[in-house]
Amino acid sequence: MLSDDESPFKPQPRVSPDAPTFFLPTTRAGTMIMPKVSRPAGPAEEAGPAPDAPVGRRFPWWQQLLAFLLPAVVMFTVGWQGLSGRQLWNDEHATWHAATVDWDAFTRLLDRIDRVLALYYLFMRGWVALLGDTPTSLRLPSLIAMAAAAGLTALVGQRLLGTPAGLVAGLVFAVIPGVSRYAQEARPYAFAVAAAVLATLLLLLALDRPRWPWWFAYSAAVALTAYFHIVAVLVLVPHVLLAWLRYQRSERDVRLWKFLGALGLITAAVMPLAYTGSGQSGAIEWIKADRAAVVELPMRLFGSYPVALAVCATALVGIPLLAVLRNRGVTAALVAWAVFPPVFTLATFPLLHLFLFRYLLFTLPAWALLAAGALHGASRLLFRRAWPQLLIAVGALPALALLTLPTQQELRGPLVDGEPDYRAAAEVISANLRPGDGVIFAGRTRPPRMGMAYQMRDVPRPDDILLVRSAAEIGDFGVEECPVTLPCLVNRDRIWVVSTSYSREAFAEMAEERAATLNRLYQVEQESAFTRIHVHLLVPRR
């Protein structure tokens, strides 16, 4: 006969659904073995959760506020430097175009080429309507989003590694040049990064407090991530890993079904976008996954090879340290977050054409968390108390900031590498423009029409004499031009030729018929050459 202590039917203490129950073992009879009650944690245990501890923790509000604000303010300050100094480039001109055309043209654009970016474009239309279309205005939303991403990275690190390590992770993320580069770009990548980190934080909260509102919020954040950029939805891989590790020893727990329900909501929200995007895949056929693209990925992602080497090497040191000092499952999830997306997009490139460094920016928070984990693990070996562990970070972060300084300055140059100097070309035309002047655009690599339209949006422009149907009318970023040149010239006395061809010849990279017609009727009177763009003034031959 079993004693009361041995009986499987003896009442067990109730466990609050909010109490962290990571990896609580059960007996064969199905009853839960409660952990022994121990004394309150001492100072040496305040650095963060012990090995195999729950990923979710509760922190004083002031610690959470500090963890969010400090990296966010640093990121905003770094990103604000030179925000408007660099000229907009091709992709940002596309954002400006989508944000300023009328609603009919906008609808045609989404139907034809860019439906997967509809949410970002809709936001930017409202933003531009309120605050204008200057470079600062167009880029400010991305800067705010990336600052939020830095703060959210710190909050994720706080729950995974403790407050000191979380702060370090947010600050490491904030000083990476690749982060501030795309905090200064009028494109959706910063929004996707912020949404991916927000979704991760909400997952940790939902795992720790498994109520339906948290799961609905998490589902909405993942869907938001996908709608800002579809590739960023790969953040689901570490999320699934975290949830599986949380519930692998309690398969009948209703909370597992809540997570599966959240996945169902996410699938229902994202699948229409993925289906729509597959029908517009022609817009990304230019992406390459050759050897050069693979070799350049770390440099493009982090901003430079030295920064990539410093962060990645520190992160690699952090993997075994975290595995020993922390939850091995958390370590595996961070590695999956950092490594799986580039490996997956490269492996599936022949089918999906998604291997591009800009699409993978949402992996940078994971690298920052792993690097912070290395500093945190090393400091744990030297210090017992939590806050003195920041001493190592105090020395490491300035060193990293100094390492990034040359790249930060380079990325704030007046032009994106290899892009035309539209501003200089526009100033030449504006200074010499006469009534009745026309303009012809040439160049296949970077067609200059939209860039020149942005630079001359508030000043008089020459007539686009070859234009038949505009980009707004077509629902594209390109235009339809006269098939035969002569009827469209209409005896123009002066024609400006703006070309982004690599040749300095006035008629380079034009159709043979157009070049021959212009060369027969006109001669070059004035020539101006700038970075990747040159301007010629044609007058009739005498």
Side-chain angles (χ1 to χ4, degrees):
M1 183 174 180
L2 296 174
S3 67
D4 288 343
D5 290 338
E6 295 171 325
S7 172
F9 303 104
K10 180 181 178 181
Q12 300 292 328
R14 292 188 62 188
V15 181
S16 168
D18 289 339
T21 57
F22 241 40
F23 306 145
L24 290 180
T26 58
T27 67
R28 292 182 181 178
T31 57
M32 183 176 295
I33 299 175
M34 297 301 297
K36 293 182 180 179
V37 178
S38 60
R39 63 175 176 81
E45 296 169 290
E46 293 175 357
D52 293 333
V55 295
R57 299 183 69 215
R58 296 184 180 181
F59 297 87
W61 66 268
W62 64 269
Q63 284 192 19
Q64 297 184 59
L65 186 63
L66 174 66
F68 178 85
L69 284 182
L70 183 57
V73 169
V74 170
M75 177 68 256
F76 190 90
T77 303
V78 173
W80 182 261
Q81 306 304 312
L83 182 64
S84 61
R86 188 181 66 248
Q87 290 188 40
L88 268 63
W89 71 291
N90 187 62
D91 284 14
E92 294 180 289
H93 293 144
T95 296
W96 168 74
H97 174 77
T100 54
V101 295
D102 62 48
W103 282 102
D104 289 340
F106 180 66
T107 303
R108 285 192 292 270
L109 179 67
L110 297 186
D111 286 341
R112 183 180 176 92
I113 195 170
D114 249 355
R115 197 174 300 165
V116 292
L117 300 183
L119 180 62
Y120 174 71
Y121 286 157
L122 283 169
F123 171 82
M124 290 303 295
R125 289 183 68 85
W127 181 272
V128 169
L130 290 173
L131 298 177
D133 60 356
T134 64
T136 299
S137 176
L138 289 170
R139 290 167 174 164
L140 187 57
S142 292
L143 176 57
I144 294 171
M146 204 65 95
L152 292 168
T153 297
L155 292 180
V156 170
Q158 183 184 53
R159 292 188 169 273
L160 296 178
L161 307 171
T163 301
L167 274 171
V168 173
L171 293 171
V172 168
F173 176 81
V175 300
I176 293 175
V179 171
S180 55
R181 163 68 179 83
Y182 287 94
Q184 297 184 339
E185 176 138 327
R187 295 300 283 170
Y189 308 120
F191 286 78
V193 174
V197 185
L198 174 63
T200 305
L201 178 63
L202 289 173
L203 173 68
L204 299 181
L205 291 169
L207 290 174
D208 194 41
R209 309 168 190 176
R211 299 188 182 96
W212 276 115
W214 288 112
W215 289 114
F216 283 128
Y218 164 69
S219 303
V222 177
L224 194 67
T225 303
Y227 275 82
F228 279 129
H229 205 282
I230 189 65
V231 177
V233 81
L234 292 175
V235 77
L236 270 176
V237 173
H239 291 181
V240 171
L241 185 58
L242 280 172
W244 178 75
L245 291 168
R246 181 69 176 262
Y247 298 131
Q248 63 176 337
R249 300 188 185 183
S250 55
E251 294 176 356
R252 298 179 182 178
D253 196 316
V254 69
R255 289 172 294 181
L256 173 61
W257 298 106
K258 289 182 178 180
F259 175 70
L260 295 177
L263 288 183
L265 290 174
I266 293 166
T267 302
V270 173
M271 285 304 295
L273 178 70
Y275 177 78
T276 298
S278 65
Q280 297 179 338
S281 59
I284 56 174
E285 287 182 350
W286 58 270
I287 298 176
K288 297 179 180 179
D290 53 15
R291 183 176 180 274
V294 175
V295 171
E296 291 178 0
L297 177 63
M299 181 268 291
R300 298 288 187 182
L301 193 59
F302 288 87
S304 71
Y305 283 119
V307 176
L309 179 62
V311 175
C312 292
T314 307
L316 291 176
V317 172
I319 292 172
L321 286 174
L322 284 176
V324 171
L325 298 174
R326 286 284 181 260
N327 191 320
R328 294 175 180 85
V330 168
T331 306
L334 290 178
V335 172
W337 185 357
V339 175
F340 178 80
V343 172
F344 175 82
T345 52
L346 180 61
T348 59
F349 181 80
L351 179 65
L352 302 177
H353 288 272
L354 294 173
F355 183 74
L356 186 66
F357 69 95
R358 293 193 290 271
Y359 298 174
L360 301 170
L361 289 169
F362 71 96
T363 64
L364 290 177
W367 288 108
L369 287 163
L370 288 170
L375 298 174
H376 171 71
S379 63
R380 281 290 301 274
L381 299 177
L382 299 175
F383 301 101
R384 289 181 59 81
R385 295 182 63 86
W387 290 101
Q389 295 170 12
L390 283 173
L391 292 176
I392 288 183
V394 168
L397 285 173
L400 178 61
L402 287 174
L403 180 65
T404 66
L405 192 58
T407 305
Q408 297 280 14
Q409 294 174 337
E410 181 182 348
L411 292 177
R412 283 160 177 75
L415 295 171
V416 174
D417 186 34
E419 293 298 314
D421 189 351
Y422 295 115
R423 185 179 299 162
E427 289 174 353
V428 166
I429 295 177
S430 294
N432 297 277
L433 188 64
R434 296 180 185 175
D437 283 2
V439 64
I440 291 175
F441 299 100
R444 300 189 185 96
T445 305
R446 278 285 182 262
R449 181 178 268 104
M450 193 169 293
M452 293 297 294
Y454 177 78
Q455 290 297 334
M456 304 186 73
R457 65 194 184 282
D458 297 324
V459 298
R461 288 183 278 176
D463 300 330
D464 193 344
I465 58 178
L466 297 183
L467 182 66
V468 175
R469 293 179 67 204
S470 68
E473 293 171 320
I474 297 174
D476 203 333
F477 297 119
V479 302
E480 180 182 335
E481 295 186 333
C482 295
V484 180
T485 306
L486 185 59
C488 295
L489 298 181
V490 196
N491 297 321
R492 295 275 177 172
D493 290 332
R494 288 166 37 110
I495 298 176
W496 296 92
V497 175
V498 181
S499 177
T500 53
S501 68
Y502 287 98
S503 170
R504 291 276 299 271
E505 296 294 329
F507 310 121
E509 294 188 17
M510 288 185 182
E512 184 177 349
E513 178 272 335
R514 180 171 303 165
T517 301
L518 292 173
N519 192 37
R520 185 177 70 251
L521 299 178
Y522 293 89
Q523 63 184 20
V524 176
E525 181 178 81
Q526 176 183 327
E527 177 183 352
S528 302
F530 307 99
T531 303
R532 286 286 284 113
I533 192 169
H534 41 96
V535 180
H536 301 267
L537 176 60
L538 306 184
V539 296
R541 288 190 179 277
R542 296 179 177 84

